[in-house]
């Protein structure tokens, strides 16, 4: 790449300039360490604007953050021009606090030492009476050029890359030397890539056709997204100017970027699909237990999710300033622990087990009071639990109000992580991680604990298990509570990524049932695969059609057709039993 | 083997459930008008065999041909197989519990099975006579207006046989008709089956050897073991067979 | 045991008297001012709901298919009628729901709805076809029980998503409203409202009679046999899928007619009616009234909705969902046969307590049914 660029004339000139700049920079900075303040100070009192610009311009040779700070103070009118009795003007900065007469102590701009009167006493000035140094637009432009160079040399990588990317805006050829100079010293790969990109974008404006072609090729190779629109403009212009080679190169570059974009989109879709699938999985896994293993159609599943979410809400407030509730007109005040910011970051750790436990307790209550009478009557369990879901929604409304409540999520969830132009939002990464965790927990409970053994035994053959001395009633209760607890976990999880309200569970109920049915009832692995499959299908269709609702409808249709092919879902739990 | 064509011919049937071979290379031939008894220890695949014939289960490999190979049963579903004249009495009595005895028989009457007929078809007086006749045969005349669910276990068994009669099935597949019956009821069930022999082809699956002796009367008995035909022949010959004694009768005689 | 459900003893004369009261007496009382227009309007709605409830019971009570898509068929019928009513508004230009999405012209599929017979045809055809296609697919692959419920729920959900879209040109989430004329009569006239009530009552009577006939035919026997033991019916040579498909389409069309009559009486139709919770609410009426009977669902629909009209205003409004949900749980747990079955249930309790006094008497119940259905 270097060779491609260097053998072109303007590039050679640029390189020469860059090198000279580099050497000058090294020597000058050694020669005069403190001269930045001095140069600025001189500039403030320079005789003419041209002289001012020349002085400031000279700072380009040694771009330093200090200069930018001084410029800022200058522009803000904080540099005062103190004229002593001898008529000598000294630029000063104010320091300390105002005296009763409104005067401040002063520091010399050129070296930061206190300005002393001939008698050795410190000079105090009143900013209202002393003239401040001013700037004009020409000067400010030069200052900006210096600041740009300073940011290019910023030791902070993110800021430096930002500056490199910004330097391509406007495609000013005069910015090339600085960029090329930086390229010679830059070590960081990301910064180098940004440099190549910015240099090539600017070179698209090069007067020399072969250089433009090279820039296009370069950008195509870099699969540069920011260059896309610029290349398009270049293409139009080149077509007008019948510049054949540029047209070809631009087209090739656009095509390369297009391919890249579609790859990014595909990867992004896959990632979003994975995270949507994880959400489905988390909300459906509890149902896979209650419906899949026990055959209970729990229409109140969504309300258990809401119970979990509200638990997270309550915990959050207990960690903060407390909570005032008025369930059924009874006012109830829960004191908070006032943990401040620490609480805001930590409460979720407590909310996860709490939401599981609260939902599981409500589940035990429900199983003992209603569900236990409805085993083997699945349709009626559907109806009764729907009644329960109405009641639970209303109780939540009475307790927490009908509006959504605020559950804050830790700040880090809003960040993201970019790899090869693909953006991975932390919240989605969290979603996937949480799903993995929940599956792991479920798998461990079902396969590695004695409760799991009992659950599997009872679900496979209730009568046989009872004969073997298993207290099936208790296992039923615990299984149902486990399923509800998982729904509660899902609620704590959803509280981090979506709204928390009394009817929030209704949004997920159809999806949850679809996921379990498609996966094959009684099979946790099936639920996992079907959740991911539905998530991916949904996101791909959405990407392809550009319409979330139609995509969702198509997915529902596809599920119905899928069940034509496999009425029992993906994984049929086979047994010798003929029923 | 007789020269006339088989009513039912099963060849090379195999069916496994999760690796368990319920039916293993089974060959079975049935003549028109036969009364065949099938015996075998638990898990020998008797009920699974009936499931294969009636279309309830599909075999992994094998052929099942009906009526001189005019029909391939494997290509038909349950109700199409039924309509060929293959009726089945299930092991546990399976009647419509919420329907009266008469209604159970009406639902089983031979004739159109279409929706139109079900809406507008009337029960003819001929059919009423037929139902009365069957009720007498199965000794349920007094209970004709009771719900089937209220009947005693043995009565349900008979009702189910009555439903096969109403169907005018060519082949009756009778799965353990004597299960849960008193000795007297068992004997009467045997009489009933014997009276039907000749008019219908009958396959009886049974455990109770007294009952098997009663109905086989020198007719062919098939012994199934591990999904395979172990031997076939008159009951005396079968009971004398070393292998049969080992796998089945031996245990049975010890228990008795 | 109950020999005959109560309906069996509600003799035809009693039913006929009720029919005359609903169809003739109530409108007459309204015409002479003894029943307010408001009350009559409410009763018109209740009767529509009664018809919807019967359609659910035909599937659930008689065939064992708990369909959570009846609200969809009801709403589709309503939309078909709504399309006709929109065309009848008259005036220049197009209604707002079209101009809002930039349409200057009526979409072509709206044009034939100017004809009332065409609208009638569509009220039968659209839900009927949807039920046919969906039912064909579902029953062919032997989807039943709760799977059927869940899939019909998903179907309704999908349809509601679709109808909420403005691009469908069916009014988006506002639906259709501001109806004016039906068959040349102004919908604002009291006489038109009375007429609509009479038509609804007549339809209800017709549906009751038709369903009574249907369920007492051999078809009814097969229906209930499918409910109790579908596999056994297959092994009796009936193609159960066809029977289920037939009754599914019939009940979809019945629900559709109920919806079509509902819309001109309430003056609005929008996709919020197409919610699965609406289907479930209608299932509550059936369960409360008594499933597996024809009159039970009507009683359930009228009583629940009358209660709702009374309870869901004012101070008790917030408690209505609690009452509805709680009632549902109680009915499922303690009143499996609903209001209609209550007298028999009480008789049963009395008989049981008598038996408890003479413990020697054996239970007439035979061994529990060992069905071959899974």
């Amino acid at each position: 790449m270097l060779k491609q660029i260097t053998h072109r004339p303007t590039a050679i000139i640029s390189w020469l300039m860059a090198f000279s700049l580099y050497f000058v920079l090294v020597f000058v900075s050694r020669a005069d360490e403190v001269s930045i303040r001095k140069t600025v100070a001189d500039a403030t009192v320079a005789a003419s604007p041209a002289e001012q610009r020349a002085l400031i311009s000279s700072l380009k040779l040694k771009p330093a953050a200090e200069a930018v700070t001084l410029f800022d103070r200058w522009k803000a009118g904080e540099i005062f021009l103190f004229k002593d009795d001898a008529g000598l003007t000294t630029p000063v900065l104010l320091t300390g606090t105002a005296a009763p007469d409104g005067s401040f102590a002063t520091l010399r701009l050129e070296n930061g030492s206190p300005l002393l009167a001939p008698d050795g006493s410190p000079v105090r000035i009143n900013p209202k009476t002393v003239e401040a140094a001013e700037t004009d637009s020409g000067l400010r432009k030069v200052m900006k050029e210096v600041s740009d160079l300073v940011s290019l040399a910023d030791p902070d990588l993110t800021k430096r890359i930002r500056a490199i990317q910004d330097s391509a805006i406007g495609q000013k050829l005069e910015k090339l030397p600085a960029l090329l100079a930086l390229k010679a010293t830059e070590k960081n790969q990301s910064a180098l890539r940004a440099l190549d990109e910015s240099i090539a974008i600017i070179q698209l404006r090069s007067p020399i056709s072969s250089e433009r072609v090279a820039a296009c090729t370069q950008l195509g190779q870099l699969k540069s997204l920011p260059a896309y629109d610029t290349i398009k403009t270049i293409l139009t212009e080149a077509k007008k100017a019948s510049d054949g080679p540029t047209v070809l190169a631009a087209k090739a570059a656009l095509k390369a970027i297009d391919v890249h974009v579609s790859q990014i989109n595909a990867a992004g879709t896959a990632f979003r699909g994975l995270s949507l699938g994880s959400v489905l999985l988390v909300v459906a896994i509890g149902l896979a237990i209650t419906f899949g293993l026990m055959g209970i159609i729990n229409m109140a599943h969504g309300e258990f999710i809401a119970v979990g979410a509200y638990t997270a809400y309550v915990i959050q407030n207990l960690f903060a300033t407390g909570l005032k509730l008025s369930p059924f007109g009874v006012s109830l005040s829960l004191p908070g622990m006032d943990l401040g910011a620490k609480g805001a970051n930590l409460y979720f750790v407590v909310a996860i087990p709490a939401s599981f436990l609260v939902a599981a307790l409500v589940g035990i209550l429900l199983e003992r009071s209603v569900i236990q009478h409805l085993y083997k009557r699945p349709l009626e369990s559907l109806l009764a639990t729907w009644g329960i879901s109405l009641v639970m929604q209303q109780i939540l409304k009475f307790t927490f109000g009908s509006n959504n409540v605020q559950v804050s999520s830790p700040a880090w969830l809003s960040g993201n992580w970019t790899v090869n132009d693909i953006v991975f939002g932390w919240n989605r990464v969290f979603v996937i991680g949480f799903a993995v965790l929940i599956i792991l927990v479920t798998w461990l409970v079902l396969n590695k604990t004695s409760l799991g053994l009992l659950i599997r035994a009872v679900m496979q053959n209730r009568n046989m298990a009872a004969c073997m001395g298993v207290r099936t009633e208790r296992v039923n209760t615990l299984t149902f509570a486990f399923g509800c607890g998982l729904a509660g976990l899902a609620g704590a999880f959803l509280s981090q990524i979506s709204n928390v309200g009394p009817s929030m569970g209704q949004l997920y109920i159809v999806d949850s049932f679809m996921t379990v049915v498609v996966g094959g009832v009684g099979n946790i692995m099936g639920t996992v695969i079907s959740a991911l499959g539905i998530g991916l299908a949904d996101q791909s269709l959405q990407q392809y059609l550009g319409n979330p609702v139609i995509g969702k409808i198509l997915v529902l249709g596809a599920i119905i057709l899928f069940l034509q092919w496999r009425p029992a879902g993906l994984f049929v739990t086979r047994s010798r039993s003929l029923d | 083997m007789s020269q006339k064509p088989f009513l039912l011919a099963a060849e090379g049937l195999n069916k496994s459930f999760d690796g368990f071979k319920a039916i293993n290379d089974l060959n079975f031939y049935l003549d028109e008008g036969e009364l065949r008894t099938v015996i075998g220890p638990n898990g020998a695949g008797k009920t699974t065999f009936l499931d294969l014939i009636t279309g309830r289960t599909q075999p992994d490999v094998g052929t099942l041909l009906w009526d001189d190979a005019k029909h391939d049963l494997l290509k038909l579903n349950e109700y199409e197989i039924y309509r060929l004249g293959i009726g089945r009495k299930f092991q546990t009595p399976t009647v419509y519990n919420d329907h009266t005895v008469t209604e159970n028989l009406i639902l089983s009457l031979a004739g159109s099975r279409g929706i139109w007929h079900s809406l507008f078809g009337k029960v003819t007086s001929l059919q009423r006579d037929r139902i009365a006749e069957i009720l007498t045969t199965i000794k349920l005349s007094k209970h004709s207006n009771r719900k089937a669910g209220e009947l005693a276990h043995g009565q349900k068994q008979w009702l189910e046989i009555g439903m096969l009669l109403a169907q005018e099935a060519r082949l009756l597949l009778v799965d353990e008709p004597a299960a849960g019956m008193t000795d007297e009821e068992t004997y009467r069930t045997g009489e009933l089956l014997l009276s039907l022999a000749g008019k219908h082809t009958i396959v009886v699956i049974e455990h109770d050897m007294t009952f098997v002796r009663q109905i086989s009367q020198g007719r062919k008995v098939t012994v199934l073991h591990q999904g395979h035909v172990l031997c076939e022949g008159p009951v005396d010959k079968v009971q004398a067979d070393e292998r049969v004694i080992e796998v089945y009768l031996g245990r049975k005689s010890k228990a008795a | 045991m109950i020999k005959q459900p109560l309906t069996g003893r509600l003799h035809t004369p009693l039913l006929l008297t009720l029919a005359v009261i609903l169809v003739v007496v109530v409108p007459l009382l309204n015409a002479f001012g003894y029943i307010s227009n408001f009350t009559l309007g409410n009763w018109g709605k209740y009767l529509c709901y009664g018809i919807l409830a019967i359609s659910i019971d035909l599937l659930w009570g008689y065939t064992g298919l708990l369909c959570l898509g009846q609200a969809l068929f009801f709403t589709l019928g309503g939309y078909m009628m709504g399309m006709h009513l929109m065309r009848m508004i008259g005036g220049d230009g197009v209604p707002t729901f079209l101009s809002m999405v930039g349409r200057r012209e009526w979409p072509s599929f709206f044009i034939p709805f100017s004809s009332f017979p065409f609208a009638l045809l569509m009220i039968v055809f659209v839900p009927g076809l949807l039920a046919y296609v969906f039912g064909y697919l579902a029953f062919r692959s032997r989807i039943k029980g709760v799977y059927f419920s869940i899939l019909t729920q998903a179907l309704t959900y999908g349809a509601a998503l679709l109808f909420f879209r403005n691009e469908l040109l069916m009014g988006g989430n506002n639906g259709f409203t501001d109806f004016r004329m039906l068959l040349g009569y102004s919908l604002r006239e009291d006489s038109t409202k009375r007429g609509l009530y009479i038509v609804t009552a007549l339809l209800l009577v017709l549906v009751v009679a038709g369903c009574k006939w249907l369920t007492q035919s051999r078809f009814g026997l097969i229906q209930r046999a499918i409910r109790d033991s579908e596999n056994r019916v297959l092994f009796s040579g009936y193609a159960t899928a066809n029977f289920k498909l037939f009754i599914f389409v019939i009940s979809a069309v019945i629900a559709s007619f109920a919806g079509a009559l509902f819309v001109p009486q309430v003056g609005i139709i929008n996709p919020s009616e197409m919610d699965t919770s609406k289907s479930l609410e209608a299932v509550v009426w059936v369960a409360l009234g008594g499933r597996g009977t024809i009159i039970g669902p009507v009683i359930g629909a009228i009583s629940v909705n009358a209660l709702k009209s009374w309870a869901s205003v004012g101070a008790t409004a917030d408690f209505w969902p609690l009452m509805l949900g709680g009632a549902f749980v109680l009915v499922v747990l303690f009143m499996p046969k609903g209001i209609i079955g209550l007298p028999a249930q009480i008789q049963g309790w009395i008989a049981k307590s008598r038996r408890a006094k003479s413990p020697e008497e054996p239970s007439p119940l035979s061994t529990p049914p060992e069905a071959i259905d899974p």
Side-chain angles (χ1 to χ4, degrees), chain A residues 192-411:
Chain A
L192 277 172
R193 189 185 185 280
L195 273 170
D196 282 341
E197 200 170 16
S198 290
I199 292 169
I201 291 176
I202 296 174
Q203 280 177 337
L204 285 174
R205 284 277 167 230
S206 163
I208 301 141
S209 163
S210 60
E211 208 162 75
R212 289 196 302 268
V213 171
C216 282
T217 317
Q218 167 93 352
L219 288 169
Q221 278 167 356
L222 287 171
K223 296 165 188 151
S224 166
L225 298 182
Y228 193 80
D229 289 334
T230 325
I231 300 179
K232 261 193 168 164
T233 321
I234 295 294
L235 177 63
T236 340
E237 287 173 11
K239 272 182 183 161
K240 261 186 215 153
S242 325
D243 178 359
T246 312
V247 169
L248 279 180
K251 276 186 177 164
L254 287 177
K255 201 176 166 199
I257 298 171
D258 277 335
V259 169
H260 182 53
V261 165
S262 62
Q263 282 167 352
I264 295 171
N265 286 344
T269 303
F271 178 64
R272 282 194 305 277
L274 201 63
S275 81
L276 177 66
S278 301
V279 173
L280 285 178
L281 182 54
V282 171
V283 296
I285 192 79
L287 207 63
I289 305 277
T290 49
F291 173 42
L293 289 179
M294 306 180 75
I296 294 293
I297 314 302
N298 187 6
M299 294 294 278
H301 181 73
E303 279 58 51
F304 280 93
I305 293 177
V307 165
Y310 274 105
T311 307
Y313 168 71
V314 170
I315 299 277
Q316 170 193 258
N317 283 290
L318 290 184
F319 271 52
T321 53
L323 189 60
K324 278 198 173 51
L325 297 174
S326 54
F328 300 93
V330 185
S331 81
L332 188 70
S333 184
L334 301 171
M337 291 185 282
D338 273 324
L339 295 182
K342 206 167 74 182
N345 283 326
L346 275 180
Y347 85 90
F348 193 59
V349 181
V350 181
I352 286 178
S355 55
F356 179 89
L357 286 178
V358 172
L361 280 177
V362 179
I364 289 177
L365 206 70
L366 182 58
E367 201 272 347
R368 285 289 89 194
S369 57
V370 178
I371 305 287
Q372 64 159 328
H373 306 291
L374 298 174
Y375 291 116
K376 296 198 167 185
R377 288 155 72 191
L379 282 182
E380 288 170 25
S381 75
L382 187 159
L383 300 177
T385 50
W386 182 69
I388 290 163
S389 104
L390 280 186
V391 172
M392 283 173 77
Q393 273 183 51
Q394 197 59 33
I395 291 177
L396 287 174
K397 265 183 209 165
F398 278 141
T399 318
F400 297 99
S402 354
N403 298 328
N404 289 348
V405 296
Q406 283 299 314
V407 178
S408 62
S409 47

